[in-house]
Amino acid sequence: KPMVAPAVRRQARTADFPAPGGSTMGFGLLPSGPQLGTVDRMPQITAAGLPLGGNPEDTTGTVMRASQEHPPPPTPDEMRRWRRDYTPGKSLPPPGSAYDTAHTAIGTFGKVEPRGAGDSVADIVNIAPKSTLLERQQEKREAIYRSNKMEPLGHAFTRGHHIPAKMLASGFGRPTPQDIMGTATKEGICPPETIPDALEHSLYVKSHANYDPGEQRARGYTWSSKDGPIDPATYGFGAITVPRDVNGVAKAINPSRHGLNADPSAMAPPTVVDQKFQAYTEYKTDRLGKARSLGHDNTKSTLSVFGKPSMSEPQWGTKECMGNYTAEQQAPDLDLGRSIRPGWRNITADPHRAYGIPSIRHDIAPPAMRGVADYQNYGDEKGANQILNPEPYAELGVEPEDFAAPLPLQALLVIFARADLGLEEEAIHRAFEVAGGHGGGGGVSVADMRR
């Protein structure tokens, strides 16, 4: 058996290690009972697995299904209320009221009343009277209630007020005048703008402080000074100023040009300075509109501009892009709407001639057997009128040409039999002969048979 070889190996390993007292120490599964030659060095630890010498039918599957064959102990009663039960449809009370069983002694809450006549749900819901006499009786019973007296059904609330007869005749309020021009509503929503007079404006200024734009706020004060009354509209408040003194530095440096009796056109007296100082000033100072002297030489060039011009010839610019074209440049191209290439020009004396192949080929005969890829219209297809107004039997795939096609007698007998016209076969034979048919193979069309 498969379990024999491992048992022999375990027995061999056990015999290799002698224990004190002539016994051997084995490794692996411990025996189920005391055996000679084995010593348990750790008795405080429970051995794992199944003991040797047990049920020989115990296999790995039996060990894995131990929890099914030996289920765990149930939950104690004192801990059961804290467990959650996921059984469908089972009611789970809170843990605090799990042991409250007083409600189980009561079957139904409330007081049980004996059922009598008129206590059913249908009688309670359907309370409307069934006849005029019962309705009058119900109104008489409800007439004692104050709500029925003050607010009867179908009438306004009665408050005991007495309305004058004039108002009862004409109604409340004043009639609205009907303006045939239709401007009453417009003027009510957007009244016309008017210029208020001085009195109206003063009232709005006093009540709403509604001043006009730029209007000075007049508080009605009486202004006066040591010289007399003051008009705030023309008087300038503030300290008295003198004319501003300008060009103070210029007057100090050149009193002859900017003094009291100065002449602005007078030239300043020449100033004698050192030549080196003058040359240094010209070298370090940037002159307006002139190039700065770099001290290379003292020669002066006669050229006003140095360098090579960027454009050697006239080029396009913004002016040309915005439409600076000549009349010839603005003319249309020569090949616009026509061909100017020799040999490719369609020049004809007929102005109404149309070039190309027509869409409907009436000029050629249709082939006897049209292919699937032949999409050419040979004039035998339906037009717009026939598509919008089809023949009576077009939906059945029957064309008018089929009625005019000659058919033999047997085909006609099948057609008239399926048409269910109630004709006898002898009558169809006579009509076939009258229409010109004969038994030698000549055919007659359906149209001839109908005539």
Side-chain angles (χ1 to χ4, degrees):
K1 293 184 179 180
M3 298 297 294
V4 172
V8 172
R9 286 196 295 269
R10 286 197 298 271
Q11 185 67 25
R13 288 198 302 269
T14 306
D16 293 341
F17 297 91
S23 62
T24 58
M25 180 177 63
F27 296 89
L29 298 177
L30 296 177
S32 59
Q35 296 181 0
L36 297 177
T38 60
V39 176
D40 189 2
R41 300 293 184 180
M42 297 181 181
Q44 69 275 11
I45 299 178
T46 305
L50 294 176
L52 292 177
N55 188 2
E57 297 180 358
D58 290 342
T59 60
T60 306
T62 307
V63 175
M64 299 298 294
R65 292 193 300 270
S67 60
Q68 300 179 2
E69 298 178 358
H70 305 282
T75 304
D77 295 339
E78 61 273 8
M79 298 296 296
R80 187 171 299 168
R81 61 175 178 171
W82 303 102
R83 296 290 185 264
R84 300 184 65 86
D85 191 354
Y86 295 99
T87 304
K90 186 175 182 180
S91 178
L92 297 178
S97 60
Y99 298 143
D100 296 343
T101 59
H103 63 281
T104 58
I106 303 176
T108 305
F109 291 94
K111 183 180 179 182
V112 180
E113 293 288 345
R115 179 179 177 183
D119 292 340
S120 63
V121 177
D123 297 338
I124 296 175
V125 175
N126 190 10
I127 59 176
K130 300 300 185 295
S131 63
T132 306
L133 183 60
L134 295 177
E135 184 177 357
R136 294 296 183 185
Q137 184 180 4
Q138 184 177 358
E139 291 179 358
K140 185 177 180 180
R141 293 176 179 176
E142 295 179 353
I144 60 175
Y145 298 108
R146 185 175 181 273
S147 60
N148 193 9
K149 296 178 181 179
M150 300 296 295
E151 191 174 359
L153 184 62
H155 298 277
F157 190 83
T158 304
R159 303 181 183 275
H161 301 159
H162 298 282
I163 302 175
K166 180 180 179 181
M167 292 186 178
L168 293 176
S170 60
F172 292 91
R174 299 175 59 184
T176 303
Q178 301 296 328
D179 190 358
I180 61 174
M181 298 301 294
T183 59
T185 305
K186 177 181 177 181
E187 293 180 357
I189 298 175
C190 184
E193 184 178 359
T194 58
I195 300 177
D197 53 5
L199 179 59
E200 182 180 355
H201 177 67
S202 61
L203 293 176
Y204 274 99
V205 168
K206 184 177 182 181
S207 60
H208 296 77
N210 188 14
Y211 292 92
D212 290 337
E215 180 182 359
Q216 185 181 12
R217 292 197 174 192
R219 296 180 175 85
Y221 297 159
T222 302
W223 301 91
S224 63
S225 65
K226 61 180 180 179
D227 298 332
I230 296 175
D231 185 6
T234 58
Y235 184 79
F237 295 89
I240 299 175
T241 59
V242 296
R244 185 169 61 91
D245 190 11
V246 297
N247 298 328
V249 178
K251 293 176 182 179
I253 297 177
N254 298 317
S256 60
R257 299 183 61 185
H258 302 283
L260 295 177
N261 299 323
D263 184 9
S265 61
M267 298 298 294
T271 304
V272 179
V273 296
D274 190 3
Q275 180 66 23
K276 294 181 180 181
F277 177 76
Q278 184 67 21
Y280 177 80
T281 304
E282 293 180 0
Y283 176 74
K284 286 294 184 182
T285 305
D286 294 332
R287 299 297 182 90
L288 182 62
K290 296 182 180 181
R292 184 176 180 180
S293 176
L294 301 179
H296 298 313
D297 53 10
N298 295 328
T299 59
K300 294 183 179 181
S301 175
T302 58
L303 299 176
S304 59
V305 179
F306 295 89
K308 183 180 179 181
S310 58
M311 293 187 303
S312 59
E313 60 184 9
Q315 297 182 1
W316 269 49
T318 307
K319 182 178 180 181
E320 287 75 13
C321 293
M322 294 181 66
N324 187 20
Y325 303 102
T326 61
E328 297 179 356
Q329 294 175 345
Q330 297 179 15
D333 297 338
L334 295 178
D335 58 348
L336 181 62
R338 59 180 181 175
S339 176
I340 60 176
R341 182 179 177 182
W344 295 77
R345 291 173 289 188
N346 299 326
I347 301 176
T348 178
D350 187 6
H352 302 288
R353 179 180 177 181
Y355 293 89
I357 300 176
S359 302
I360 302 177
R361 301 301 303 273
H362 294 283
D363 54 336
I364 59 177
M369 182 68 67
R370 296 186 60 175
V372 180
D374 188 3
Y375 56 87
Q376 182 64 50
N377 186 0
Y378 297 97
D380 54 350
E381 297 183 2
K382 303 297 182 181
N385 185 18
Q386 295 178 350
I387 294 176
L388 297 177
N389 303 286
E391 297 295 336
Y393 305 101
E395 60 182 3
L396 301 177
V398 180
E399 300 294 339
E401 294 81 5
D402 298 336
F403 290 93
L407 299 174
L409 178 60
Q410 297 299 329
L412 294 175
L413 290 175
V414 173
I415 292 175
F416 282 99
R418 293 183 178 179
D420 196 13
L421 299 177
L423 298 176
E424 298 181 357
E425 185 174 351
E426 183 179 355
I428 298 175
H429 278 276
R430 290 197 303 268
F432 182 79
E433 295 175 357
V434 172
H438 51 83
V444 177
S445 64
V446 177
D448 294 340
M449 293 288 294
R450 293 173 63 182
R451 286 195 294 267

